[in-house]
Amino acid sequence: MELIHTSEQPAARPNKMLHSILSLNFADASKKFLLVSAVLASCMRPGGVTAHRPSSSAAFVTSTSQTLSKRRTACAGFRPMRPCATIRGTPTKLRATADTDSNVEVEEVDVAIIGAGIGGLCAGAILNTLYNKKVGIYESHYLPGGCAHAFERSAKIGDDTTTFTFDSGPTIVLGCSKEPYNPLQQVLRAVGVDGDVEWIPYDGWGMIEHPNNPDLEKRWKLRVGPDHFEQGPLEQFANPNALEEFNALREVTKPLVTGASTIPAMAMRPGSTSLIPLLRYLPSLFAIISNGVETSTGPFMPFMNGPIFEVKDQWLRSWLDALAFSLSGLPAERTSAAAMAYVLFDMHREGAALDYPKGGLGEVVQALVKGVEQKSNQGVELGSRVHLRRRVESIEFNSEGNLAVGLNVRKNSGGKIIVNAKEGVICNAPIWSLRKLIKNENALKLLSGGDVIPTLNNPQPNQSWATQKDADPSTGRGSVVSPRPPQSDLFAEPNNLLSKCDTAEVTGSFLHLHVALDAKDLDLDKLQPHYTVMDRGLEGDGAIINGVADGPCGELNMIALSNPCVLDRTLAPEGYIVVHAYGAGNEPYDIWKTASDGTSRGTEDAANGSQASGGRYQSSTYKALKSARAAPLWRAIESIIPDARDRTVLALEGSPLTHERFLRRPYGTYGAAIEDCLKDGSTPIPNLVLAGDGVFPGIGIPAVALSGASAANGMVGVFKQWMCLDELKSKGAIN
């Protein structure tokens, strides 16, 4: 491979009015301060939303505000983010040389994107459709969608082979069928593919506690909308003062979501220019950050345990923990305050609804792929593509390491692709994988904040779950979500990007059970489209492990149960249904690391680049453990269809190793803990931008859609983004 110099330098074409404001030099900082002083003053005040998370742009706004205040940008002089035109260094171009393996292809794009998860697809659709950029998205899996992909499996039934389609991940989404729209629906609308997805609204989900235990079992329904929760389960199960407490909590968290619905995801961008598009929404911006940046971007703890508010009713605390765990894989006190506030607002407002896409979540993924590959809004066929079975081996840089110039990609078939990215790279891979993608020593220096290249001693992240050494995962429980130690008890707080990525806390993993059932004589109208099954009850069974009491966040206690054929009979062949039971974030990874018989990970996993820490069982051992661990998932399915095993024509079990291997999720993780999410996707290399669930606002489909939109906007000048907002507003796509 050879680095070829090129002089390509894209030029910004700013809006004249904005340019006159923003091109003031440093000596005119006092004039500039008049424009943003109120915003920045609010940002500097001290102290005081899914796969499921219905994340709002409000939390992202306050996060970027906090980042700016820390960087003291009030007088630094705003400038458009056109990294290729401002970086000192020599742009380069990759090409294959004569002595390179002949099985090498070269591709030319404007922006290269690593990973076809929701964040990467949203970024690609925006860049292709709205910004007229040729995009290449490179995905190692054979399907797009990341953790939200849909997949097919076939079963031999009699003489026939029947094919079933399953959702791999999230099964509850809010904010797609009705306004205010969540960031995912906003992106679909912005790129003009929202008509490709038909959303089916429904009014709630079933709750089952202690399934199939006659002495303890409880069954009730959580209906969204005003008063249903208050006059239903809260009144039935909590203490009399819980209603007053719940209403007070909703009131005190209201400022965290005020104005959120008026700031669209398309107004977000990373880095030092992030506040400029938000000048369009100043009243909403003031409302959001008036509560204090730290409070808006931090965890929910001040609202659970004081000093802002204290939830005292134990049943209500357990319920809030259950909601939080579905959002973040962590208890309420460690879940994003903005996400919790949004859920408390959105689930109980007038007109609230849950949404499911007709045809399954794969329809959403396909709509985004269409957004990536369609003609741009200028009517140009750019040739943007989503490339599957393409594993990115490295991000390439110029010799100075301060400009991302492309990717080295490996085909599953063994061939190589050299991708020249004229304008930059968006990395939608998990943040723990970033270091492995950087081979350039100068780039490593920039990303690690120093002149000395850090040694690679396999830096290990903190893990949310702690597992007892003597625990036998095949027969019982032995893991808990450990309280986060005070910062002084942790390693020194990372002070550079790579260290933050390396050591960010990883939440727990998943256990999946996908089944296809014979639906003969089964009355689907008597079933709910979704259930939350608390295997040991909302309160847990009282067991204490490592000093932590069992509860809604306990190991494989909360099981999500998706029964989508209740809403859409076309999801399975006539006479059958598909059901998906899973533990989201409550399956510890450590128990899967090595086999009980001492076998190490297989050669296939090693070749595919699985984490070195990830053990792969020999077939018989691995299958036996999957079967044992899936017992709570089967109990959940049998709680609504008692003879489910007799009806089963296909059953698929997925473990943390499945997530790690096929989705390249380190430790099979749900995502990063909110305390360790990067505040935005900017990096010290201006045309390298990050997206995904390691970037604030974190875990969940709407959240990663927001990070993808922000990353896309960060690849163009702020003035182009401003003009795009004007166009979208004129079309009624945004406020």
Side-chain angles (χ1 to χ4, degrees), residues 211-212 509-515 517 533-536 555-562 579-587 592 625-641 644-645 648 652-656:
N212 305 318
S509 188
F510 289 76
L511 197 67
H512 292 276
L513 177 60
H514 292 91
V515 297
L517 304 177
V533 180
M534 308 301 299
D535 193 55
R536 301 185 297 278
E555 182 179 339
L556 287 181
N557 186 19
M558 184 166 64
I559 307 300
L561 184 58
S562 177
V579 178
H580 177 200
Y582 60 100
N586 58 12
E587 176 67 350
W592 297 86
L625 186 59
K626 283 201 298 183
S627 179
R629 297 294 294 175
L633 308 186
W634 277 112
R635 282 196 293 273
I637 295 175
E638 289 168 338
S639 70
I640 64 167
I641 305 173
R645 296 193 198 225
T648 298
L652 306 168
E653 297 163 342
S655 75

Side-chain angles (χ1 to χ4, degrees), residues 8 10 24 34 70 234 280 323 385 519 526 557 620 674:
E8 294 178 3
L24 300 174
L34 292 176
K70 288 183 177 179
L234 187 65
R280 303 169 66 103
L323 281 180
R385 292 291 180 267
K526 292 184 178 180
N557 186 19
S620 60
I674 186 64

Side-chain angles (χ1 to χ4, degrees), residues 390-406:
R390 301 291 187 269
R391 177 165 57 89
V392 176
E393 294 188 322
S394 64
I395 303 171
E396 296 302 311
F397 299 85
N398 63 348
S399 58
E400 293 90 342
N402 60 2
L403 184 69
V405 299

Side-chain angles (χ1 to χ4, degrees), residues 511-722:
L511 197 67
H512 292 276
L513 177 60
H514 292 91
V515 297
L517 304 177
D518 185 336
K520 183 180 180 180
D521 299 326
L522 193 62
D523 189 352
L524 292 182
D525 293 332
K526 292 184 178 180
L527 299 176
Q528 298 296 324
H530 191 92
Y531 293 86
T532 296
V533 180
M534 308 301 299
D535 193 55
R536 301 185 297 278
L538 188 63
E539 71 286 353
D541 63 5
I544 297 177
I545 300 174
N546 288 349
V548 178
D550 190 31
C553 307
E555 182 179 339
L556 287 181
N557 186 19
M558 184 166 64
I559 307 300
L561 184 58
S562 177
N563 185 27
C565 291
V566 169
L567 298 172
D568 183 2
R569 301 293 202 270
T570 67
L571 289 170
E574 185 176 357
Y576 299 93
I577 63 171
V578 291
V579 178
H580 177 200
Y582 60 100
N586 58 12
E587 176 67 350
Y589 176 83
D590 276 355
I591 65 176
W592 297 86
K593 282 199 303 187
T594 55
S596 58
D597 58 3
T599 55
S600 60
R601 75 200 242 268
T603 56
E604 184 178 11
D605 292 305
N608 283 330
S610 295
Q611 289 284 315
S613 61
R616 178 81 176 164
Y617 291 138
Q618 286 184 343
S619 179
S620 60
T621 307
Y622 181 52
K623 289 182 178 179
L625 186 59
K626 283 201 298 183
S627 179
R629 297 294 294 175
L633 308 186
W634 277 112
R635 282 196 293 273
I637 295 175
E638 289 168 338
S639 70
I640 64 167
I641 305 173
D643 59 348
R645 296 193 198 225
D646 294 333
R647 294 176 176 271
T648 298
V649 296
L650 178 65
L652 306 168
E653 297 163 342
S655 75
L657 298 186
T658 311
H659 270 253
E660 183 180 54
R661 179 187 179 196
F662 290 101
L663 300 180
R664 300 194 179 278
R665 300 287 296 177
Y667 304 92
T669 183
Y670 196 7
I674 186 64
E675 298 96 333
D676 292 338
C677 280
L678 302 177
K679 295 304 179 185
D680 66 19
S682 61
T683 76
I685 299 171
N687 74 333
L688 172 62
V689 182
L690 308 183
D693 56 24
V695 178
F696 195 88
I699 297 170
I701 284 184
V704 295
L706 182 62
S707 77
S710 175
N713 293 329
M715 298 306 296
V716 302
V718 69
F719 305 107
K720 180 170 284 190
Q721 182 186 1
W722 188 285

Side-chain angles (χ1 to χ4, degrees), residues 195-435:
D196 288 38
V197 183
E198 179 183 346
W199 294 97
I200 305 173
Y202 60 106
D203 68 352
W205 70 87
M207 290 291 302
I208 302 175
E209 301 183 52
H210 302 284
N212 305 318
N213 185 330
D215 296 329
L216 298 174
E217 186 177 271
K218 298 177 185 176
R219 292 178 180 254
W220 47 282
K221 183 174 180 178
L222 188 284
R223 294 182 184 275
V224 297
D227 301 326
H228 295 304
F229 174 72
E230 297 91 319
Q231 296 174 8
L234 187 65
E235 181 178 290
Q236 182 178 358
F237 302 121
N239 292 321
N241 61 346
L243 176 59
E244 181 180 352
E245 205 170 89
F246 179 71
N247 288 332
L249 177 63
R250 291 192 69 212
E251 189 65 30
V252 77
T253 57
K254 191 178 293 184
L256 297 180
V257 293
T258 300
S261 60
T262 61
I263 300 181
M266 283 300 299
M268 302 299 124
R269 66 183 292 112
S272 60
T273 56
S274 59
L275 281 180
I276 297 175
L278 301 179
L279 296 175
R280 303 169 66 103
Y281 307 97
L282 278 178
S284 298
L285 181 61
F286 291 148
I288 292 167
I289 62 181
S290 64
N291 205 52
V293 174
E294 295 290 344
T295 300
S296 300
T297 61
F300 201 56
M301 183 179 291
F303 298 92
M304 288 290 288
N305 303 334
I308 297 176
F309 191 80
E310 183 179 1
V311 179
K312 297 180 180 179
D313 183 82
Q314 186 55 52
W315 188 91
L316 181 57
R317 288 184 69 91
S318 294
W319 173 248
L320 293 171
D321 278 339
L323 281 180
F325 201 82
S326 68
L327 299 175
S328 70
L330 291 168
E333 63 183 26
R334 296 197 53 206
T335 296
S336 163
M340 288 296 294
Y342 194 91
V343 167
L344 291 173
F345 156 75
D346 198 62
M347 281 180 51
H348 305 287
R349 65 177 173 84
E350 190 69 44
L354 305 174
D355 300 312
Y356 186 81
K358 186 174 182 179
L361 207 59
E363 297 299 307
V364 176
V365 173
Q366 288 305 314
L368 289 172
V369 170
K370 177 181 177 180
V372 174
E373 299 185 344
Q374 66 188 355
K375 291 182 179 180
S376 73
N377 59 1
Q378 297 180 21
V380 180
E381 183 69 58
L382 297 167
S384 296
R385 292 291 180 267
V386 177
H387 303 277
L388 304 176
R389 297 184 174 92
R390 301 291 187 269
R391 177 165 57 89
V392 176
E393 294 188 322
S394 64
I395 303 171
E396 296 302 311
F397 299 85
N398 63 348
S399 58
E400 293 90 342
N402 60 2
L403 184 69
V405 299
L407 305 174
N408 271 327
V409 178
R410 172 79 65 177
K411 293 182 178 180
N412 281 11
S413 60
K416 291 185 178 181
I417 304 172
I418 294 173
V419 180
N420 288 314
K422 299 176 185 177
E423 299 185 27
V425 172
I426 293 175
C427 182
N428 188 50
I431 56 175
W432 303 275
S433 302
L434 180 62
R435 183 185 292 271

Side-chain angles (χ1 to χ4, degrees), residues 466-468 478-483 542-551:
T467 300
Q468 293 178 330
S479 304
V480 291
V481 176
S482 299
I544 297 177
I545 300 174
N546 288 349
V548 178
D550 190 31

